Amino acid sequence: MSTWAKRGIKTALVTGGLLMLGTGIASAQDASPDAQPKGVDATNVLDVKAKVPVVVDQNKVGLLNGTQDAPEFNRTIETPSVNEVLGGRSNPLFRGVQGTLSRAETGTAIGGNKVVGDVVAPVTVCGNAIAAGGNASVQGAECDQSVESTRTTETTGERGTIAGNVVSVAAAESAQATGNAIAVVGNADASTTASQDATAGGDVTTNGERGTIAGNIVAVQNATPVQVTNNAISGVGNARSESTADNTATAPGSFLTDGDRGAIAGNVIASPTAPIAALNGNGIAGVGNVETSAENTATADAGTTHPGMNGIESWLETSGHDAVLGGNAVQPQVSGPVSVDDNAGGVLGNSDVISSTENYSEVGGFTSTRGTDSVLSGNLGDAPVALPSSVGGNAAGVLGNTSADHTNDVTSVAGSGTFTDGDGSVLGANQVVAPVGGAIDQCGSGVTAAGVADAVCSNNVLNEVGGYNGTRGNDSVGAGNVGQIPIMVPGESFGNSLAVGGNASGTTVEEKGVQVGGDTNTRDDNGVISSNAAQIPAVLGAQAFGNSPAVVGNSNSAADAQTTLNAGGDAVANGDHGSLSGNILHAPTTNPVQAYGNTPIVIGNGSSTASNVLDATSGGKSTTSGTNGAGAGNVIAIPQGTSPTAAGHSAGVLANTESQIDNTFSGVSGGDIATNGDGGALSGNGITAQSATPSQAFGDGVAVGGNSDASSVNDSTLVSGGNNETSGEDASVSGNLITVPATTQPSAHGDSVAALGNADSEVVSTALSQAGGESTTQGSGSLAGNHLLNVPANVVARAYDQPVEVLGQADTDVADENTLITGTKQSSDGKSIMLPAELDSLMGATDVPSLDNLRTMPRVDTLRDERSFHGTLPTEGVPGLDIVPGLAGVPGLDGVPGLDGVGLPIGRTQRNMGTLPVVIPGLPLVLPVPGVAQPRTLTPSLPTPALNGLTVDPLAGALAPIRGERTAAPALANLDTLSMFGDLDDTTVLPRLS
């Protein structure tokens, strides 16, 4: 039996024992020795049953003198119920009391309380083969066992005092050890089919209406299958297992009670847990050979449902209408599984594993309660946790050969939606919900030292935790509020390979979906400190897959990952006609960390191929209203999004390396804000600070004394926040907005470095980063309907398409499209002319850079709508140069080839443009000065942020007009001006520089 189950059972029994002891003592003090206390069921107060059936059968042991049958054992250890022990006699707590009542009478004191327990713990040890000096073989063993202990518990404490309370324990602990082959010295072979199921528990129904300390429930539900099956292990010898195993544990039951018009009545504390524990299908070889071919399934289910409020299938239902401390619920819930399956390991041996695992774990369900017209009633605390964890399909060997082929299917569900009603209450129907989900996996990786390791894994995971959280708080005080903190923490490594003095490969295909939490809704009116919502969802965690490191070895990996991560949802509230009500705090975070498709090799060969599709979302829209309210319907939203990524790097020292990735990433944090403060005071205001920071490094190649090839396709979108809308008509300090959107885009991609080697990098990248959106407000009154503050900020720090050579050959080929949207402002730094970094000569006064790689310039079709210079510039008098500032009316330079009729923009005819914001690309900028040779550098400069205020005309007024003989200008032979400037011939407005 699992530790947490034991502790839960002990706690419940102690609590129930103390409660029943108090009941007995109180009754005994008020009764004569021969009296029968009304409402007390002497034999039915405490009723706990336990069954432990143990089966040891069909096991073989190989000794020096031959194969022996292991001892058999088949017995059920069972504790009878209190009813059976007493045999109709009175409870010893009541001295000499004879005769009992089968049911508590309504209105009596201290009656109808129950402590019930059903514990089943079957154990099966069957079909195992153990070689200890000889050979052992088990063929065709069938091992089946089933046990249950169920009941329906009904009682009542209506109009009673300390009445109708229930302590319930249901535990199904199913242990299974079958189909294992263990060769200590010799050969072991097992072929077994095993099946086992355990069921314990049932529904609990009680009633504490109009009672005092009545109709309360304390319950533990635990379902834990434990498997050690179908493993093959050798010390000195050979071991083989070809077996199947199935194990099911169920703790059924739902809870229904009522504390209406009571005091400390109808409350429920219930904890369902279903952690599967499995060690299956592994092959571990010492000096010998092992082989497994296994199929393993396990199911754990704690809690069932009944038709509840509005026909919704419900696991827990209670009520505290018109009560004091009634109808509250607390429900911690834990779902598994935890498994180590189908791994291959070997030291001086060979291990071959082909197996599959299927695990299903579910706990709890929908919960509803009510606290209308009450005090401190109908509140809910919900903490569902589902963290399925598995280590499967890995191959690891030292001086041996290991191979694993594994299929893993996991479903883990914890809890569901919740609803509470606190209309007309004081401190009623509030919710605090903290769901935690994610998956922790190590799958399909090969690791070897002076050996060979090959791993293949197919991993499919579905993880659902919590759900919709709704409440009401109309005409209430401190009621109907919701705090939701959904946290997602996936952490996994799959499809990697690591070789040290050997050969390793890892291949994994994974599909994973995780949903933690859901929408929140507190839409109510006329409250005081009511119907507020706080939602703080977070998508965290890390993934490492498809990486191939090696030291003096060969390493190859391939991974295909499709991942969907969602935390929280929309937040809806309402504070109309309320005071300090209907406000929303929304602080979502999207921050998945990924490292994939990297190939770092020191002396050896390696390749990585990774395909990644990641969709991560935290939070959603924030919608509320505070019309005719005071301090109502305000929104504070702080969405934050990042995507730290290191992918597709190919780096080798005296090695040949190759990396190829295809990435599609979509990250969303938060959403639109909509509120209203019409007719209110300090209502309907919105404050938001949105940030989007994709931090990506991908597709770089590094070769030192070898060859490196990196190829990446990247499509990345990161959005934080959205549009903002409010109103403050006929209001005071209402309908205002403060917005602080910020985008930063640190990135390094498509660079290559070669030293005594060859490095190639090829990248196609499309990236969008967006923070915030449009902001709309209107209003009339005192400080109403204003966009009080808007502080957009963006920083671009990107290094890409940079070849660096040191006695080597470095090539880059980058197609890059990068867009930043900060509020309503869109910018792009992907239009800069990237000069070559490896320049090996000086540029004279009459030289110009080669522009061979510049074939086209982006087309701009909407320049007429831009007004970056606060008006249009004159274009008369300069043929063909309508769009060039400062050339109007300048005399032509007749006689200069290609420049007839064009004058130089200097002297008194020149117009000084003053200062303009300039973005310097991430390359050295060389300004030619007449008569001075300009050096070129081999080292690329770091990216430089935008420099506002840089003088575009540094020689303004410094030179007199040129007179005398004209000098011919160099021709730009490779510059295709038509394709560069397109339809700009008749454009009279310069583009915005941003």
Side-chain angles (χ1 to χ4, degrees), residues 268-469:
V268 179
I269 300 175
S271 178
T273 56
I276 297 171
L279 181 66
N280 301 323
N282 299 288
I284 308 298
V287 182
N289 303 295
V290 299
E291 180 182 349
T292 67
S293 177
E295 295 182 6
N296 301 284
T297 60
T299 302
D301 193 348
T304 50
T305 62
H306 66 266
M309 177 192 68
N310 298 329
I312 299 174
E313 289 295 318
S314 301
W315 168 67
L316 190 157
E317 184 179 8
T318 185
S319 177
H321 169 68
D322 204 18
V324 177
L325 286 173
N328 300 294
V330 178
Q331 48 186 45
Q333 307 166 72
V334 179
S335 176
V338 178
S339 63
V340 179
D341 298 325
D342 310 338
N343 299 287
V347 179
L348 297 175
N350 302 312
S351 177
D352 189 6
V353 172
I354 302 177
S355 302
S356 66
T357 298
E358 184 175 352
N359 291 320
Y360 182 91
S361 177
E362 182 174 5
V363 297
F366 186 83
T367 295
S368 67
T369 182
R370 187 169 65 137
T372 54
D373 302 315
S374 67
V375 177
L376 286 170
S377 299
N379 298 293
L380 175 65
D382 187 22
V385 177
L387 290 172
S389 304
S390 65
V391 178
N394 302 289
V398 178
L399 295 174
N401 299 309
T402 57
S403 173
D405 190 339
H406 171 59
T407 299
N408 186 49
D409 289 290
V410 173
T411 300
S412 181
V413 180
S416 184
T418 62
F419 180 78
T420 60
D421 186 350
D423 289 352
S425 69
V426 177
L427 299 177
N430 298 293
Q431 292 190 37
V432 177
V433 183
V436 178
I440 301 173
D441 293 323
Q442 170 62 61
C443 179
S445 295
V447 180
T448 186
V452 177
D454 297 318
V456 177
C457 179
S458 175
N459 193 38
N460 302 295
V461 179
L462 176 62
N463 185 207
E464 297 179 356
V465 189
Y468 168 86
N469 303 124

Side-chain angles (χ1 to χ4, degrees), residues 634-680:
N634 300 292
V635 177
I636 298 177
I638 313 173
Q640 184 267 338
T642 63
S643 58
T645 302
H649 298 302
S650 178
V653 177
L654 299 177
N656 299 310
T657 62
E658 181 180 357
S659 294
Q660 182 175 344
I661 67 165
D662 190 335
N663 175 51
T664 302
F665 168 73
S666 174
V668 177
S669 182
D672 295 343
I673 294 175
T675 184
N676 192 321
D678 292 349

Side-chain angles (χ1 to χ4, degrees), residues 77-100:
I77 303 170
E78 185 173 2
T79 61
S81 67
V82 174
N83 281 337
E84 296 170 340
V85 171
L86 294 178
R89 291 172 293 164
S90 64
N91 190 315
L93 291 175
F94 313 124
R95 295 165 298 170
V97 174
Q98 300 294 325
T100 61

Side-chain angles (χ1 to χ4, degrees), residues 848-937:
V848 295
S850 172
L851 301 177
D852 290 338
N853 294 324
L854 182 61
R855 299 304 181 192
T856 62
M857 289 285 282
R859 298 175 62 88
V860 183
D861 298 327
T862 59
L863 295 181
R864 293 184 181 276
D865 296 330
E866 298 292 327
R867 293 295 183 269
S868 297
F869 297 99
H870 307 287
T872 62
L873 296 176
T875 60
E876 301 82 10
V878 184
L881 292 179
D882 293 344
I883 66 169
V884 181
L887 300 185
V890 178
L893 296 182
D894 298 333
V896 180
L899 297 178
D900 291 346
V902 180
L904 292 177
I906 58 176
R908 286 175 295 182
T909 59
Q910 181 184 17
R911 298 192 179 188
N912 190 347
M913 294 173 60
T915 62
L916 292 175
V918 176
V919 176
I920 298 178
L923 283 177
L925 181 63
V926 179
L927 297 177
V929 178
V932 180
Q934 303 299 312
R936 301 185 180 186
T937 180

Side-chain angles (χ1 to χ4, degrees), residues 243-259:
S243 304
T244 64
D246 175 72
N247 197 341
T248 300
T250 307
S254 62
F255 305 100
L256 176 62
T257 186
D258 182 353

